[in-house]
């Protein structure tokens, strides 16, 4: 998804904007641009295809001797129009007065062009240029800039999700902001103000942010922020303070964020335990309103996308076995448009790292319209899904920058386990077991070299791979497969091993890598048989088994914790294998092609 940053009232805007774009790179993009201006009206527009580093080089060279005190910048993920410098943002009006960056899609841009912009010369193929030309037109019709900006927004198709940031060259230190479904925050400080898609991107300027709401329009000046709600009423929105350290959003000594985030999982597990248990081992941090509301339900519906959906498949087991509540897990994009028949008293749990996934937000909108209660477990608090649900709980994984989600997955599984234990007795000391989980995660991540070797030998020159398992391991197999395919581009399937004989086994050829996750005692024998079946057909079988179930020849013996918590350990080798297979192919581990960290469009 595109990324937006802007600053005003700072001594030198360019460094803030370039650092901000670098911190937004994880969102996925293919071109970038920056517009700078100062109070005297001096300005510069620089755009470039490819990486932000290329834009930075060009911008620094072209602005020698000029320090903008305000500016807007953007990373573009091409939707309307190819990847070209002309199509990169900021887009500008024909007379170089207005400059605009935009996240989202303007569904009715053709109708708007035909109705309002006959004869206007367009230089790009983007729908964004239509928006900035509209502002210019309404300005020339005599409207003041705030009114022209609002008029443009009022003409957009009702379903359009958007984030806009506009500068008027005739008032060069004022930023005009509009937000609907595409996250935008205003950073406030006494040494300049900012606008950003992600608070962490502006952490070098401030830690205090105002979360804009859908329909808000903000006018951000060097020393003031004025916000109007959807009805045009001026509103006061309290800022929140971002609780992260700047270094949390840096790679530090790591070559890639993904490896750093895999390594952080042991600490994350400890932080989660520290947050949800007091020193005496009593549960804390879960409001009784949440557990009371869930206890009134006759069925839980977990709704999520991608890796978060896979975490829900594990959480289901905890809610059913410990809380004794029937639980369904649904893919958000399916549930949104094909809602199944619901129980009489449903309760919804949304799982999301970003808290901004459009598919999940669509479901939350529908659920709220039907009057059902909802809880969001998210890594990014102050996000749409946390704000718009009735309840929210943090998964406390810390900023997750790599597109491939790792620590957010284990954090979501952990917090679901803790929540389920607040609803029913697990039958063992969960706090003590979670402490063991943290120790064992550390033990596995300390053995990276083993997984580097496995990845390089099993996956070299392979175009397909399989992860199989039974029970909880079948759910982990889905997550393991997603990790490998989304960053190494090796076609990988994860599924229930018992299904092999119903079709998939026909794909097994000589050397096909089949990873087996074997941690569930009840079905271990059956899974061993399935491993033998694929081996007999030439597969290269790589088994990761729990200590008590391991056999000679297994590729790796997993340390043992309570069987229901073994997904937290079984997933770690899969994360590392995905990482090393990708590295071995010389690909960008953190920024895989076509993918974005937060999918804020449906
Ligand atoms: C996982 O590696 C992917 N990046 C993706 O599947 C992600 O989990 C999915 O888009 C859901 O995102 P969310 O957790 O922010 O809602």
């Amino acid at each position: 998804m595109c990324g937006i940053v802007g600053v005003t009232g700072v001594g030198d805007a360019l460094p803030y904007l370039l650092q901000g774009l670098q911190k937004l790179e994880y969102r996925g993009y293919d071109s970038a641009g920056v517009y700078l201006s100062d109070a005297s009206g001096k300005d510069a527009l620089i755009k470039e295809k490819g990486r932000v580093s290329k834009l930075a080089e060009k911008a620094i060279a072209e602005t020698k001797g000029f320090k903008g005190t305000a500016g807007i910048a953007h990373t573009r993920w091409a939707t309307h129009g190819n990847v070209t410098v002309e199509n990169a943002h900021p887009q500008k009006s024909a007379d170089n007065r207005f400059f605009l960056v935009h996240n989202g899609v303007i569904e009715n841009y053709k109708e708007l062009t035909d109705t309002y912009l006959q004869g206007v010369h367009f230089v790009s193929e983007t729908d964004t240029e239509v928006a900035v030309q509209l502002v210019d037109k309404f300005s020339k019709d005599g409207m003041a800039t705030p009114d022209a900006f609002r008029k443009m927004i009022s003409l957009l198709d009702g379903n359009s999700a958007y984030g806009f940031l506009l500068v008027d060259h005739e008032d060069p230190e004022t930023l005009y902001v509009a937000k609907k479904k595409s996250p935008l925050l205003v950073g406030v400080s006494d040494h300049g103000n900012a606008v950003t898609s992600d608070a962490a991107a502006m952490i070098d300027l401030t830690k205090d942010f105002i979360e804009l709401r859908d329909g808000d329009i903000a006018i951000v000046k060097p020393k003031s922020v004025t916000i109007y709600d959807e009805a045009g009423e001026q509103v006061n929105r309290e800022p929140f303070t971002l609780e992260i350290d700047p270094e949390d959003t840096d790679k530090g000594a790591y070559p890639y964020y993904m490896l750093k985030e895999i390594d952080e999982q042991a600490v994350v597990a400890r932080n989660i335990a520290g947050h949800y248990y007091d020193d005496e081992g009593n549960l804390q941090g879960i409001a009784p309103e949440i557990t009371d509301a869930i206890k009134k339900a006759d069925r839980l519906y977990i709704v999520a996308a991608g890796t978060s959906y896979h975490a829900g498949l594990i959480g289901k087991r905890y809610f059913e076995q410990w809380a004794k509540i029937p639980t369904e897990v649904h893919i958000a994009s399916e549930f949104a448009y094909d809602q199944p028949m619901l129980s009489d008293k449903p309760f919804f749990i949304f799982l999301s790292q970003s808290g901004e996934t459009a598919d999940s937000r669509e479901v939350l909108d529908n659920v709220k319209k039907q009057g059902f209660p909802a809880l969001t477990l998210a890594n990014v608090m102050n996000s749409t899904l946390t704000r718009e649900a009735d309840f929210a709980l943090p998964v406390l994984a810390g900023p997750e920058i790599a597109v491939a989600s790792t620590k957010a997955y284990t954090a979501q599984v952990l917090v679901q386990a803790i929540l389920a234990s607040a609803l029913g007795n697990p039958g063992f000391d969960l706090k003590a077991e979670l402490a063991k989980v943290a120790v064992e995660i550390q033990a596995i991540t300390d053995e990276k070299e083993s997984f580097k070797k496995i990845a390089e030998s099993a996956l070299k020159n392979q175009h397909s791979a399989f992860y199989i398992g039974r029970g909880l391991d079948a759910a982990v197999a889905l997550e393991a497969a997603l990790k490998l395919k989304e960053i190494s581009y090796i076609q990988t399937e994860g599924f229930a091993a018992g299904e092999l004989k119903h079709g998939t086994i026909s794909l097994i050829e000589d050397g096909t890598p089949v990873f087996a996750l074997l941690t569930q005692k009840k079905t271990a024998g059956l899974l061993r048989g399935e491993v033998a079946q694929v081996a007999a057909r030439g597969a290269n079988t790589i088994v990761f088994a729990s200590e008590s179930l391991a056999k000679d020849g297994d590729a790796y013996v997993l340390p043992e914790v309570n069987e229901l918590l073994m997904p937290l350990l079984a997933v770690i080798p899969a994360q590392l294998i995905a990482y090393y297979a990708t590295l071995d192919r010389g690909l960008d581990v953190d920024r895989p092609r076509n993918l974005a960290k937060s999918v804020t469009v449906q």
Side-chain angles (χ1 to χ4, degrees):
M1 301 302 102
C2 307
I4 289 174
V5 285
V7 289
T8 186
V10 297
D12 186 358
L14 186 58
Y16 284 117
L17 295 171
L18 294 176
Q19 282 156 19
L21 289 187
Q22 271 155 2
K23 288 188 173 149
L24 291 177
E25 286 190 287
Y26 70 87
R27 300 166 66 89
Y29 71 101
D30 36 49
S31 59
V34 58
Y35 173 76
L36 294 167
S37 56
D38 69 9
S40 75
K42 193 168 165 26
D43 66 355
L45 173 64
I46 307 102
K47 306 198 282 189
E48 187 58 278
K49 286 196 305 187
R51 291 289 180 223
V52 167
S53 53
K54 271 181 73 184
L55 172 74
E57 224 173 281
K58 189 174 177 184
I60 291 163
E62 293 187 8
T63 59
K64 263 201 185 358
F66 165 51
K67 278 191 179 179
T69 53
I72 60 178
H74 183 267
T75 48
R76 176 176 183 251
W77 199 61
T79 48
H80 283 93
N82 297 325
V83 178
T84 63
V85 172
E86 294 72 25
N87 288 340
H89 300 196
Q91 289 295 315
K92 62 184 181 59
S93 59
D95 57 359
N96 293 338
R97 175 172 172 186
F98 294 99
F99 296 83
L100 178 72
V101 296
H102 166 226
N103 189 8
V105 173
I106 301 174
E107 299 296 350
N108 59 332
Y109 75 97
K110 287 252 347 98
E111 296 85 332
L112 294 174
T113 305
D114 297 343
T115 309
Y116 296 98
L117 299 172
Q118 291 291 347
V120 169
H121 173 61
F122 286 88
V123 296
S124 82
E125 306 159 314
T126 66
D127 52 352
T128 306
E129 189 183 358
V130 170
V132 73
Q133 300 288 17
L134 282 172
V135 174
D136 192 40
K137 173 207 169 8
F138 299 137
S139 169
K140 287 187 171 55
D141 290 351
M143 283 189 197
T145 300
D147 301 329
F149 186 55
R150 185 183 293 282
K151 172 77 174 166
M152 177 274 286
I153 285 156
S154 71
L155 296 174
L156 301 183
D157 170 277
N159 292 326
S160 293
Y162 57 75
F164 285 112
L165 179 51
L166 174 91
V167 174
D168 171 1
H169 181 249
E170 292 185 7
D171 178 9
E173 293 192 313
T174 298
L175 306 178
Y176 296 90
V177 197
K179 181 261 181 189
K180 183 179 173 190
K181 297 192 176 181
S182 178
L184 273 181
L185 303 99
V186 176
V188 292
S189 84
D190 55 10
H191 48 279
N193 291 327
V195 177
T196 180
S197 303
D198 177 342
M202 279 288 127
I203 190 94
D204 295 325
L205 179 70
T206 181
K207 283 192 171 185
D208 297 322
F209 293 90
I210 296 167
E211 170 89 23
L212 293 181
R213 306 287 168 88
D214 284 352
D216 281 358
I217 286 181
I219 298 178
V220 180
K221 294 175 178 290
K223 299 260 183 256
S224 71
V225 176
T226 311
I227 300 175
Y228 300 90
D229 66 12
E230 199 153 22
E233 296 298 316
Q234 187 171 336
V235 290
N236 178 42
R237 298 225 189 284
E238 283 309 309
F240 69 90
T241 301
L242 191 65
E243 300 298 333
I244 61 167
D245 300 330
E247 61 268 16
D248 282 356
T249 60
D250 291 328
K251 278 188 297 198
Y254 284 89
Y256 289 100
Y257 281 106
M258 184 182 179
L259 190 60
K260 172 174 179 262
E261 290 154 10
I262 290 172
D263 268 353
E264 286 172 340
Q265 291 178 106
V267 172
V268 166
R270 290 191 188 98
N271 291 346
I272 289 168
H275 178 88
Y276 286 105
Y277 291 97
D278 65 20
D279 295 344
E280 288 69 48
N282 305 311
L283 268 174
Q284 62 181 8
I286 301 177
E289 292 80 5
I290 296 177
T291 46
D292 292 347
I294 297 176
K295 284 174 180 164
K296 291 191 186 107
D298 60 2
R299 201 166 194 83
L300 294 184
Y301 294 84
I302 299 174
V303 178
T307 284
S308 296
Y309 165 72
H310 298 152
L313 295 173
I314 309 298
K316 164 188 165 75
R317 186 65 68 87
Y318 305 145
F319 292 114
E320 293 195 332
Q321 289 209 2
W322 301 343
K324 308 297 181 207
I325 305 179
T327 302
E328 297 181 18
V329 190
H330 290 274
I331 289 172
S333 55
E334 285 299 302
F335 193 99
Y337 297 96
D338 284 302
Q339 181 175 299
M341 191 172 158
L342 300 179
S343 65
D344 294 339
K345 293 177 285 182
F347 186 94
F348 286 82
I349 297 177
F350 290 85
L351 300 179
S352 179
Q353 189 289 126
S354 64
E356 296 298 347
T357 296
D359 294 330
S360 304
R361 288 179 12 214
E362 181 69 25
V363 177
L364 179 55
D365 287 349
N366 298 346
V367 161
K368 288 175 66 178
K369 283 180 191 129
Q370 300 170 74
F372 298 135
L375 158 69
T376 292
L377 303 188
N379 193 34
V380 179
M381 299 305 277
N382 296 300
S383 55
T384 304
L385 285 168
T386 58
R387 195 181 56 249
E388 295 185 357
D390 302 285
F391 312 104
L393 288 174
V395 302
L396 303 161
E400 186 178 73
I401 309 296
V403 166
S405 184
T406 51
K407 60 178 184 173
Y409 172 82
T410 46
Q412 287 173 354
V413 171
L414 283 161
V415 174
Q416 288 178 93
I418 292 168
L419 175 58
S421 74
L423 295 158
N425 185 348
F428 61 92
D429 180 345
L430 181 62
K431 180 175 189 285
E433 204 64 12
L434 294 183
K436 273 180 69 183
V437 163
V439 168
E440 302 306 359
I441 289 176
Q442 187 67 60
I444 298 171
T445 52
D446 286 348
E447 293 192 82
K448 295 185 180 61
E449 275 313 303
S450 312
F451 303 107
K452 183 172 186 294
K453 290 195 183 79
I454 292 171
E456 288 168 356
S457 61
L459 293 168
K460 190 163 273 314
N461 308 322
Q462 293 296 329
H463 57 275
S464 71
F466 296 85
Y467 272 93
I468 62 173
R470 280 185 169 252
L472 285 174
D473 290 331
V476 179
L478 292 176
E479 174 54 17
L482 175 61
K483 281 293 90 51
L484 182 56
K485 66 182 143 185
E486 71 173 326
I487 61 174
S488 72
Y489 315 146
I490 298 171
Q491 169 60 41
T492 311
E493 263 195 84
F495 56 92
E499 274 297 281
L500 273 166
K501 54 190 176 296
H502 298 290
T504 309
I505 200 165
S506 68
L507 293 177
I508 303 300
E509 299 168 339
D510 266 355
T512 301
V514 176
F515 297 90
L517 306 176
L518 200 150
T519 71
Q520 305 298 303
K521 195 184 293 300
K522 188 168 59 174
T523 50
L526 288 166
L527 185 52
R528 287 284 179 194
E530 278 127 11
V531 170
Q533 280 168 29
V534 293
R537 288 159 177 79
N540 171 17
T541 54
I542 303 105
V543 177
F544 300 140
S546 306
E547 223 156 336
S548 62
L549 304 173
K551 290 192 181 320
D552 289 347
D554 289 349
Y556 186 78
V557 177
L558 290 162
E560 201 114 26
V561 294
N562 182 289
E563 200 173 69
L564 290 176
L565 300 176
M566 280 307 292
L568 291 159
L569 302 189
V571 75
I572 310 293
Q575 295 170 345
L576 288 166
I577 281 169
Y579 173 82
Y580 286 114
T582 303
L583 221 51
D584 197 39
R585 288 164 183 244
L587 297 169
D588 185 333
V589 171
D590 287 339
R591 294 184 296 240
R593 67 189 179 203
N594 309 336
L595 288 178
K597 180 62 181 172
S598 173
V599 185
T600 57
V601 292
Q602 291 197 45

